[in-house]
PDB file of all heavy atoms in Angstrom:
ATOM      1  N   GLN A 128      24.868   8.080  -1.830  1.00 96.00           N
ATOM      2  CA  GLN A 128      24.730   9.245  -2.703  1.00 96.00           C
ATOM      3  C   GLN A 128      24.023  10.405  -2.011  1.00 96.00           C
ATOM      4  O   GLN A 128      24.422  11.573  -2.163  1.00 96.00           O
ATOM      5  CB  GLN A 128      23.976   8.847  -3.967  1.00 96.00           C
ATOM      6  CG  GLN A 128      24.759   7.890  -4.863  1.00 96.00           C
ATOM      7  CD  GLN A 128      24.020   7.560  -6.142  1.00 96.00           C
ATOM      8  OE1 GLN A 128      22.789   7.706  -6.232  1.00 96.00           O
ATOM      9  NE2 GLN A 128      24.749   7.118  -7.153  1.00 96.00           N
ATOM     10  N   LEU A 129      22.983  10.098  -1.260  1.00 96.00           N
ATOM     11  CA  LEU A 129      22.263  11.160  -0.546  1.00 96.00           C
ATOM     12  C   LEU A 129      23.160  11.811   0.503  1.00 96.00           C
ATOM     13  O   LEU A 129      23.156  13.036   0.678  1.00 96.00           O
ATOM     14  CB  LEU A 129      21.005  10.592   0.105  1.00 96.00           C
ATOM     15  CG  LEU A 129      19.869  10.204  -0.866  1.00 96.00           C
ATOM     16  CD1 LEU A 129      18.829   9.342  -0.154  1.00 96.00           C
ATOM     17  CD2 LEU A 129      19.214  11.453  -1.447  1.00 96.00           C
ATOM     18  N   ALA A 131      26.346  12.076   0.409  1.00 96.00           N
ATOM     19  CA  ALA A 131      27.393  12.846  -0.260  1.00 96.00           C
ATOM     20  C   ALA A 131      26.846  13.996  -1.100  1.00 96.00           C
ATOM     21  O   ALA A 131      27.609  14.816  -1.618  1.00 96.00           O
ATOM     22  CB  ALA A 131      28.214  11.916  -1.147  1.00 96.00           C
ATOM     23  N   GLY A 132      25.510  14.067  -1.238  1.00 95.00           N
ATOM     24  CA  GLY A 132      24.897  15.098  -2.059  1.00 95.00           C
ATOM     25  C   GLY A 132      25.112  14.882  -3.542  1.00 95.00           C
ATOM     26  O   GLY A 132      25.134  15.837  -4.324  1.00 95.00           O
ATOM     27  N   THR A 133      25.267  13.611  -3.944  1.00 96.00           N
ATOM     28  CA  THR A 133      25.525  13.288  -5.356  1.00 96.00           C
ATOM     29  C   THR A 133      24.411  12.469  -5.999  1.00 96.00           C
ATOM     30  O   THR A 133      24.582  11.947  -7.102  1.00 96.00           O
ATOM     31  CB  THR A 133      26.851  12.508  -5.487  1.00 96.00           C
ATOM     32  OG1 THR A 133      26.767  11.303  -4.702  1.00 96.00           O
ATOM     33  CG2 THR A 133      28.028  13.347  -5.012  1.00 96.00           C
ATOM     34  N   ALA A 134      23.297  12.310  -5.325  1.00 97.00           N
ATOM     35  CA  ALA A 134      22.179  11.542  -5.882  1.00 97.00           C
ATOM     36  C   ALA A 134      21.573  12.299  -7.059  1.00 97.00           C
ATOM     37  O   ALA A 134      21.820  13.496  -7.269  1.00 97.00           O
ATOM     38  CB  ALA A 134      21.122  11.314  -4.811  1.00 97.00           C
ATOM     39  N   ALA A 135      20.773  11.598  -7.853  1.00 98.00           N
ATOM     40  CA  ALA A 135      20.014  12.264  -8.908  1.00 98.00           C
ATOM     41  C   ALA A 135      19.057  13.273  -8.286  1.00 98.00           C
ATOM     42  O   ALA A 135      18.710  13.185  -7.102  1.00 98.00           O
ATOM     43  CB  ALA A 135      19.242  11.224  -9.712  1.00 98.00           C
ATOM     44  N   ASP A 136      18.627  14.257  -9.072  1.00 98.00           N
ATOM     45  CA  ASP A 136      17.671  15.258  -8.565  1.00 98.00           C
ATOM     46  C   ASP A 136      16.352  14.600  -8.178  1.00 98.00           C
ATOM     47  O   ASP A 136      15.734  14.959  -7.178  1.00 98.00           O
ATOM     48  CB  ASP A 136      17.400  16.320  -9.632  1.00 98.00           C
ATOM     49  CG  ASP A 136      18.646  17.068 -10.058  1.00 98.00           C
ATOM     50  OD1 ASP A 136      19.590  16.425 -10.570  1.00 98.00           O
ATOM     51  OD2 ASP A 136      18.672  18.282  -9.890  1.00 98.00           O
ATOM     52  N   ILE A 137      15.925  13.645  -9.000  1.00 98.00           N
ATOM     53  CA  ILE A 137      14.664  12.925  -8.783  1.00 98.00           C
ATOM     54  C   ILE A 137      14.992  11.440  -8.670  1.00 98.00           C
ATOM     55  O   ILE A 137      15.667  10.882  -9.537  1.00 98.00           O
ATOM     56  CB  ILE A 137      13.689  13.162  -9.945  1.00 98.00           C
ATOM     57  CG1 ILE A 137      13.293  14.646 -10.033  1.00 98.00           C
ATOM     58  CG2 ILE A 137      12.441  12.296  -9.808  1.00 98.00           C
ATOM     59  CD1 ILE A 137      12.541  15.017 -11.307  1.00 98.00           C
ATOM     60  N   GLY A 152      17.687  15.995   5.893  1.00 96.00           N
ATOM     61  CA  GLY A 152      17.722  16.957   4.805  1.00 96.00           C
ATOM     62  C   GLY A 152      18.053  16.349   3.464  1.00 96.00           C
ATOM     63  O   GLY A 152      18.419  17.055   2.521  1.00 96.00           O
ATOM     64  N   TRP A 153      17.898  15.041   3.336  1.00 97.00           N
ATOM     65  CA  TRP A 153      18.251  14.364   2.092  1.00 97.00           C
ATOM     66  C   TRP A 153      17.171  14.493   1.028  1.00 97.00           C
ATOM     67  O   TRP A 153      17.468  14.411  -0.165  1.00 97.00           O
ATOM     68  CB  TRP A 153      18.522  12.885   2.356  1.00 97.00           C
ATOM     69  CG  TRP A 153      19.785  12.623   3.127  1.00 97.00           C
ATOM     70  CD1 TRP A 153      20.720  13.543   3.505  1.00 97.00           C
ATOM     71  CD2 TRP A 153      20.245  11.352   3.589  1.00 97.00           C
ATOM     72  NE1 TRP A 153      21.747  12.925   4.192  1.00 97.00           N
ATOM     73  CE2 TRP A 153      21.477  11.575   4.257  1.00 97.00           C
ATOM     74  CE3 TRP A 153      19.754  10.057   3.528  1.00 97.00           C
ATOM     75  CZ2 TRP A 153      22.212  10.551   4.838  1.00 97.00           C
ATOM     76  CZ3 TRP A 153      20.481   9.025   4.096  1.00 97.00           C
ATOM     77  CH2 TRP A 153      21.702   9.268   4.748  1.00 97.00           C
ATOM     78  N   LEU A 155      13.455  16.655  -0.196  1.00 97.00           N
ATOM     79  CA  LEU A 155      12.803  17.958  -0.043  1.00 97.00           C
ATOM     80  C   LEU A 155      11.286  17.813  -0.029  1.00 97.00           C
ATOM     81  O   LEU A 155      10.728  16.962  -0.720  1.00 97.00           O
ATOM     82  CB  LEU A 155      13.205  18.879  -1.198  1.00 97.00           C
ATOM     83  CG  LEU A 155      14.705  19.014  -1.500  1.00 97.00           C
ATOM     84  CD1 LEU A 155      14.915  19.981  -2.663  1.00 97.00           C
ATOM     85  CD2 LEU A 155      15.470  19.476  -0.274  1.00 97.00           C
ATOM     86  N   LEU A 381      12.326  14.329  -4.449  1.00 97.00           N
ATOM     87  CA  LEU A 381      13.222  15.413  -4.842  1.00 97.00           C
ATOM     88  C   LEU A 381      14.348  15.444  -3.822  1.00 97.00           C
ATOM     89  O   LEU A 381      14.098  15.508  -2.619  1.00 97.00           O
ATOM     90  CB  LEU A 381      12.435  16.722  -4.838  1.00 97.00           C
ATOM     91  CG  LEU A 381      12.968  17.927  -5.614  1.00 97.00           C
ATOM     92  CD1 LEU A 381      13.189  17.577  -7.074  1.00 97.00           C
ATOM     93  CD2 LEU A 381      11.967  19.082  -5.488  1.00 97.00           C
ATOM     94  N   THR A 382      15.585  15.396  -4.275  1.00 97.00           N
ATOM     95  CA  THR A 382      16.706  15.216  -3.351  1.00 97.00           C
ATOM     96  C   THR A 382      17.460  16.509  -3.040  1.00 97.00           C
ATOM     97  O   THR A 382      17.265  17.545  -3.688  1.00 97.00           O
ATOM     98  CB  THR A 382      17.718  14.201  -3.914  1.00 97.00           C
ATOM     99  OG1 THR A 382      18.435  14.814  -5.008  1.00 97.00           O
ATOM    100  CG2 THR A 382      17.024  12.941  -4.400  1.00 97.00           C
ATOM    101  N   ASN A 383      18.387  16.385  -2.084  1.00 96.00           N
ATOM    102  CA  ASN A 383      19.240  17.506  -1.709  1.00 96.00           C
ATOM    103  C   ASN A 383      20.170  17.925  -2.848  1.00 96.00           C
ATOM    104  O   ASN A 383      20.680  19.052  -2.856  1.00 96.00           O
ATOM    105  CB  ASN A 383      20.058  17.160  -0.456  1.00 96.00           C
ATOM    106  CG  ASN A 383      20.822  15.852  -0.576  1.00 96.00           C
ATOM    107  OD1 ASN A 383      20.667  15.100  -1.532  1.00 96.00           O
ATOM    108  ND2 ASN A 383      21.648  15.559   0.416  1.00 96.00           N
ATOM    109  N   SER A 384      20.376  17.061  -3.819  1.00 97.00           N
ATOM    110  CA  SER A 384      21.191  17.437  -4.980  1.00 97.00           C
ATOM    111  C   SER A 384      20.525  18.567  -5.748  1.00 97.00           C
ATOM    112  O   SER A 384      21.195  19.503  -6.207  1.00 97.00           O
ATOM    113  CB  SER A 384      21.388  16.238  -5.911  1.00 97.00           C
ATOM    114  OG  SER A 384      22.111  15.211  -5.281  1.00 97.00           O
ATOM    115  N   ALA A 385      19.191  18.487  -5.901  1.00 97.00           N
ATOM    116  CA  ALA A 385      18.461  19.546  -6.605  1.00 97.00           C
ATOM    117  C   ALA A 385      18.564  20.865  -5.856  1.00 97.00           C
ATOM    118  O   ALA A 385      18.683  21.935  -6.463  1.00 97.00           O
ATOM    119  CB  ALA A 385      17.004  19.139  -6.770  1.00 97.00           C
ATOM    120  N   GLU A 386      18.536  20.804  -4.549  1.00 96.00           N
ATOM    121  CA  GLU A 386      18.679  22.018  -3.742  1.00 96.00           C
ATOM    122  C   GLU A 386      20.081  22.593  -3.905  1.00 96.00           C
ATOM    123  O   GLU A 386      20.263  23.804  -4.085  1.00 96.00           O
ATOM    124  CB  GLU A 386      18.407  21.685  -2.278  1.00 96.00           C
ATOM    125  CG  GLU A 386      18.426  22.883  -1.347  1.00 96.00           C
ATOM    126  CD  GLU A 386      18.025  22.500   0.064  1.00 96.00           C
ATOM    127  OE1 GLU A 386      18.583  21.507   0.592  1.00 96.00           O
ATOM    128  OE2 GLU A 386      17.172  23.186   0.643  1.00 96.00           O
ATOM    129  N   LYS A 387      21.069  21.729  -3.864  1.00 96.00           N
ATOM    130  CA  LYS A 387      22.477  22.137  -3.977  1.00 96.00           C
ATOM    131  C   LYS A 387      22.756  22.769  -5.347  1.00 96.00           C
ATOM    132  O   LYS A 387      23.473  23.774  -5.454  1.00 96.00           O
ATOM    133  CB  LYS A 387      23.357  20.911  -3.760  1.00 96.00           C
ATOM    134  CG  LYS A 387      24.846  21.138  -3.886  1.00 96.00           C
ATOM    135  CD  LYS A 387      25.584  19.821  -3.665  1.00 96.00           C
ATOM    136  CE  LYS A 387      27.080  19.957  -3.872  1.00 96.00           C
ATOM    137  NZ  LYS A 387      27.770  18.642  -3.693  1.00 96.00           N
ATOM    138  N   LYS A 388      22.176  22.211  -6.406  1.00 96.00           N
ATOM    139  CA  LYS A 388      22.413  22.676  -7.771  1.00 96.00           C
ATOM    140  C   LYS A 388      21.499  23.826  -8.184  1.00 96.00           C
ATOM    141  O   LYS A 388      21.685  24.427  -9.243  1.00 96.00           O
ATOM    142  CB  LYS A 388      22.208  21.512  -8.743  1.00 96.00           C
ATOM    143  CG  LYS A 388      23.236  20.410  -8.623  1.00 96.00           C
ATOM    144  CD  LYS A 388      22.732  19.093  -9.192  1.00 96.00           C
ATOM    145  CE  LYS A 388      22.148  19.220 -10.575  1.00 96.00           C
ATOM    146  NZ  LYS A 388      21.616  17.913 -11.069  1.00 96.00           N
ATOM    147  N   GLY A 389      20.468  24.097  -7.386  1.00 97.00           N
ATOM    148  CA  GLY A 389      19.510  25.127  -7.749  1.00 97.00           C
ATOM    149  C   GLY A 389      18.550  24.702  -8.836  1.00 97.00           C
ATOM    150  O   GLY A 389      18.031  25.536  -9.596  1.00 97.00           O
ATOM    151  N   THR A 390      18.271  23.383  -8.902  1.00 98.00           N
ATOM    152  CA  THR A 390      17.376  22.855  -9.942  1.00 98.00           C
ATOM    153  C   THR A 390      16.044  22.360  -9.377  1.00 98.00           C
ATOM    154  O   THR A 390      15.262  21.754 -10.106  1.00 98.00           O
ATOM    155  CB  THR A 390      18.060  21.694 -10.690  1.00 98.00           C
ATOM    156  OG1 THR A 390      18.496  20.708  -9.729  1.00 98.00           O
ATOM    157  CG2 THR A 390      19.251  22.178 -11.500  1.00 98.00           C
ATOM    158  N   ALA A 391      15.778  22.615  -8.105  1.00 98.00           N
ATOM    159  CA  ALA A 391      14.576  22.064  -7.474  1.00 98.00           C
ATOM    160  C   ALA A 391      13.297  22.537  -8.150  1.00 98.00           C
ATOM    161  O   ALA A 391      12.381  21.741  -8.394  1.00 98.00           O
ATOM    162  CB  ALA A 391      14.562  22.404  -5.987  1.00 98.00           C
TER     163      ALA A 391
END
Side-chain angles (χ1 to χ4, degrees):
Q128 292 183 339
L129 289 166
T133 59
D136 300 61
I137 296 169
W153 290 355
L155 310 181
L381 199 56
T382 73
N383 52 353
S384 296
E386 184 175 49
K387 178 181 176 182
K388 293 159 50 182
T390 54

